[in-house]
Each structure stands twice: as C-alpha cells, then as structure tokens.
C-alpha cells in the first residue's frame, strides 16, 4: 500500500474544514449560547478571568484547530501504517 | 481497509472547525471552580495510576493509548453545524474509556481541554476542572457502564459501542447543563428549571451529534479490533 495515501484523507479533512468554516461561519457555538443564558439568569455576573491567549487574527483560531486535528490524524495514520506493516 | 479509512475521514470532513460545548473562561463563580477541581482531581490521580499500571504490563498499550487520545483530539477539534443554526463538537471519549477503562480518560480529557483552553480560548483554565469532569469522568464512566450493560444483554458488540458512545456524548452535555444550573440558579426558578434552560441550548444541537459520535466510535473500534485485538484483550480482558 502506498502509505502516503493514509495521510491523504487527513489533508482533505483540513482542506474541507477551511472551506466549511467559511460556509458555516454564522453558526453560533453552544458555549456562546449558554453564556447568553447565564446573562439572562444572572445579568450582574461578571466573568472574573479572561482567556490566557486571544489572537486578533481571524485565521489564528482555525489554524490552531487544524493543528489539533492534524496531530490526531497523524497519530492515527502512523498507527495504521505500523499495524499494516506488521500484518504484511 | 483504506476504503474504510477513507469513509471515516471523509465523514469527518463534513464538520468545520470551531467551538462547542465547554463552559467558557471565567463563567463559573470561584466557589464552583474550586468544587469542580476538587471533585475532578481524584479521578485524574487514579487515572494516572491506572494508566501507569497498564503501560507497565503491556508494551503495546502506549501506541493504543496514543490512538485513543488522537481520536479525542480529532473529534473534539471539529465543529458540527446543526439545523438550529448552532454548532458543537464531538468528544471521542467513549472509545478510550471502553478500551482502557473510564479513569484513564481523565488524562486524555485533561490534555485536550488544556490545549483548547490555552491556545484556542475555548473553555478555560478556571473552568477546566468542571469541563474535564463532565467530558472525561461523567462521559467516560457512562460509556463504560452502558457498554457493560449492553454486553450483559448479549447484544452485538458494535451496537454496544454505538449506544455507549451515543449516551456518553449526551451525558456530557447533561452534566455541563447541571454544572451551569448549580452555579447560576435564578431566584424565580428551581434547579431543574434552570437546568432545563441550559439543556435546551444543547439538546437540539447535540442529539444528531451524539448519533455521529456513535458512528465514528464504531468505525474506530472496528479498526482497532482489526489490527490490535489481542493487545486490547491483554489490556482489558473484560472486552472478550
């Protein structure tokens, strides 16, 4: 099996994610929606801690999620290659 | 094999990057931050101990545990839009819980959530104890109990895995709703009413995602079954 093929779907995942993040950009995360509910229930509540890192660049977050997905896909691909070699 | 892998990864293509279910940074009062850290830390401690023992006993466990962690990393990085105009993500926690035992997932959950909290401003450091408890304790133990329950009923293994992952995903969101309701209970409503308010946010988005969680987990389980079944049995003989 040409092992590079195992990584190909991973690359497709990343490419498609970039495309889809634009397509569904108006969808609100449920975590943001739960923050809205908190604001309804406790309008005087003020968050007492901010995120450690917040990037101004819009591309930073998608790229970091891609990094996270890539790490996972890389490990799974390496596992498949290793086990496939063992069997052959 | 490659065809199956392609199907799994192409299914993963549908989601997009993003955010989802965790309690945002600073959105738990200090009292509840401390409570959830105190509740979560013993599970993390026993998880490390349990995993250490597994790694000492089985040399193949290292790679398989990395795969279980990678599965969580991939699934929790993918945002899935729903018809309601909201979005959330899967967790992938059930696979590792079934293979390695529930407590081991407290480590993977911690690492994945820490990564997201620090680098992605998703979830948070202060809310990590609560988020890790819901995802890697409540979700993982649910997966194991449901899997064992279905196994006792002698149902097909794939179905047990599917339902375990489905229930695990839903319980994570129920737990998150309960955590928020406990912390933000309005004077005019009961705890249950507050919880239902938060649940209504997650329910529409999460039900179809829980189905997908089940499908992905079955695919991943079968992949591991195909390549490493003897290793898995030596790690967790109860899977026989």
């Amino acid at each position: 099996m040409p092992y590079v093929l195992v990584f190909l779907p991973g690359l497709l995942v990343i490419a498609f994610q970039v495309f889809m993040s634009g397509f569904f950009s108006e969808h609100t995360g449920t975590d943001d929606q739960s923050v809205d509910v908190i604001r309804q229930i406790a309008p005087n509540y003020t968050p007492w801690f901010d995120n450690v890192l917040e990037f101004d660049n819009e591309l930073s977050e998608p790229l970091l999620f891609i990094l996270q997905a890539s790490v996972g896909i890389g490990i799974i691909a390496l596992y498949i290659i290793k086990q496939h070699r063992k069997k052959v | 094999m490659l065809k199956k892998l392609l199907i799994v990864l192409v299914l993963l293509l549908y989601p997009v990057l993003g955010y989802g279910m965790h309690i945002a940074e600073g959105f738990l009062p200090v009292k509840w931050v401390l409570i959830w850290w105190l509740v979560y830390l013993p599970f993390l401690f026993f998880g490390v101990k349990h995993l250490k023992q597994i790694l000492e006993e089985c040399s193949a466990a290292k790679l398989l545990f990395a795969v279980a962690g990678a599965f969580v990393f991939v699934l929790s990085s993918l945002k899935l839009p729903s018809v309601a105009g909201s979005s959330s993500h899967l967790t992938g926690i059930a696979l590792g819980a079934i293979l390695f035992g529930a407590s081991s997932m407290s480590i993977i959950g911690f690492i994945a959530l820490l990564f997201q909290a620090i680098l992605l401003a998703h979830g948070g450091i202060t809310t990590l104890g609560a988020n890790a408890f819901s995802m890697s304790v409540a979700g993982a133990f649910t997966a194991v109990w449901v899997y064992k329950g279905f196994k006792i009923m002698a149902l097909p293994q794939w179905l047990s895995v599917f339902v375990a992952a489905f229930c695990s995903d839903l319980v994570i969101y129920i737990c998150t709703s309960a955590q928020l309701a406990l912390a933000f209970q309005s004077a005019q409503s009961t705890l249950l009413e507050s919880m239902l308010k938060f649940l209504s946010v997650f329910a529409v988005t999460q039900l179809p995602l829980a189905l997908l969680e089940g499908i992905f987990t079955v695919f991943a389980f079968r992949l591991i079954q195909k390549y490493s079944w003897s290793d898995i049995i030596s790690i967790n003989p109860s899977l026989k």
Side-chain angles (χ1 to χ4, degrees):
Chain A
M1 177 178 72
Y3 291 119
V4 71
L5 286 179
V6 177
F7 289 98
L8 194 63
L11 291 175
L12 286 173
V13 168
I14 291 162
F16 197 79
Q17 281 180 355
V18 173
F19 170 74
M20 295 293 273
S21 61
F23 195 71
F24 285 106
S25 57
E26 77 284 4
H27 282 237
T28 320
T30 47
D31 49 355
D32 291 333
Q33 291 182 335
S34 66
V35 165
D36 292 341
V37 177
I38 293 170
R39 291 205 166 113
Q40 281 169 30
I41 294 174
N44 297 324
Y45 181 80
T46 315
W48 57 278
F49 201 82
D50 288 326
N51 286 112
V52 181
L53 284 177
E54 286 208 59
F55 297 102
D56 292 333
N57 190 334
E58 277 181 19
L59 266 179
S60 310
E61 189 174 291
L63 285 174
L64 283 165
F65 268 109
I66 286 175
L67 173 70
Q68 184 185 334
S70 307
V71 169
I73 288 165
I75 293 170
I76 294 169
L78 286 172
Y79 165 75
I80 292 167
I81 291 170
K82 205 174 166 185
Q83 299 306 314
H84 191 77
R85 275 186 186 155
K86 247 190 207 175
K87 277 203 164 184
V88 172
Chain B
M1 188 285 301
L2 192 63
K3 201 177 160 189
K4 275 185 187 167
L5 176 73
L6 205 68
I7 291 167
V8 173
L9 290 173
V10 167
L11 273 170
L12 284 172
L13 287 177
Y14 177 66
V16 286
L17 304 162
Y19 352 77
M21 55 155 183
H22 306 300
I23 302 173
E25 184 72 282
F27 273 91
L28 268 187
V30 180
K31 181 182 97 175
W32 287 103
V33 165
L34 293 173
I35 289 173
W36 287 114
W37 269 109
L38 284 174
V39 173
Y40 171 65
L41 283 175
F43 288 98
L44 184 61
F45 174 77
F46 285 113
V48 171
K49 215 175 150 188
H50 178 63
L51 184 65
K52 214 175 150 191
Q53 193 187 343
I54 290 174
L55 295 180
E56 277 168 10
E57 285 169 7
C58 178
S59 57
K62 225 178 260 181
L63 181 61
L64 284 168
F65 193 69
V67 171
F71 188 64
V72 172
F73 251 60
V74 174
L75 259 61
S76 64
S77 72
L78 303 169
K79 174 182 166 187
L80 289 142
S82 91
V83 283
S86 54
S87 62
S88 190
H89 63 77
L90 309 177
T91 68
I93 216 81
L95 177 72
I98 294 168
L99 297 176
F100 288 90
S103 64
S104 311
M105 295 317 283
S106 58
I107 305 160
I108 287 177
F110 182 82
I111 294 167
L113 289 169
L114 187 67
F115 178 88
Q116 293 188 348
I118 293 176
L119 289 177
L120 302 166
H122 174 51
I125 302 286
T126 60
T127 53
L128 184 61
N131 288 331
F133 178 83
S134 60
M135 182 167 133
S136 57
V137 178
F141 277 89
T142 302
V144 171
W145 291 334
V146 171
Y147 176 81
K148 283 185 176 169
F150 268 64
K151 215 186 153 205
I152 289 168
M153 290 191 275
L155 288 165
Q157 193 167 39
W158 70 266
L159 186 62
S160 308
V161 172
F162 174 83
V163 182
F166 176 83
C167 294
S168 155
D169 187 280
L170 289 184
V171 164
I172 291 168
Y173 294 93
I174 293 169
C175 185
T176 304
S177 302
Q179 288 170 327
L180 287 169
L182 282 165
F184 297 100
Q185 206 180 332
S186 75
Q188 295 85 24
S189 55
T190 63
L191 177 67
L192 187 67
E193 283 167 345
S194 298
M195 195 175 151
L196 285 173
K197 264 188 197 169
F198 288 107
L199 268 178
S200 66
V201 169
F202 296 122
V204 184
T205 311
Q206 214 52 43
L207 268 170
L209 299 202
L211 287 171
L212 274 179
E213 176 104 38
I215 294 169
F216 286 138
T217 308
V218 170
F219 269 115
F221 189 85
R222 289 187 84 103
L223 189 76
I224 289 177
Q225 204 172 22
K226 182 181 172 182
Y227 283 128
S228 311
W229 194 236
S230 56
D231 294 330
I232 281 298
I233 292 300
S234 70
I235 293 166
N236 187 354
S238 71
L239 282 170
K240 258 183 208 165

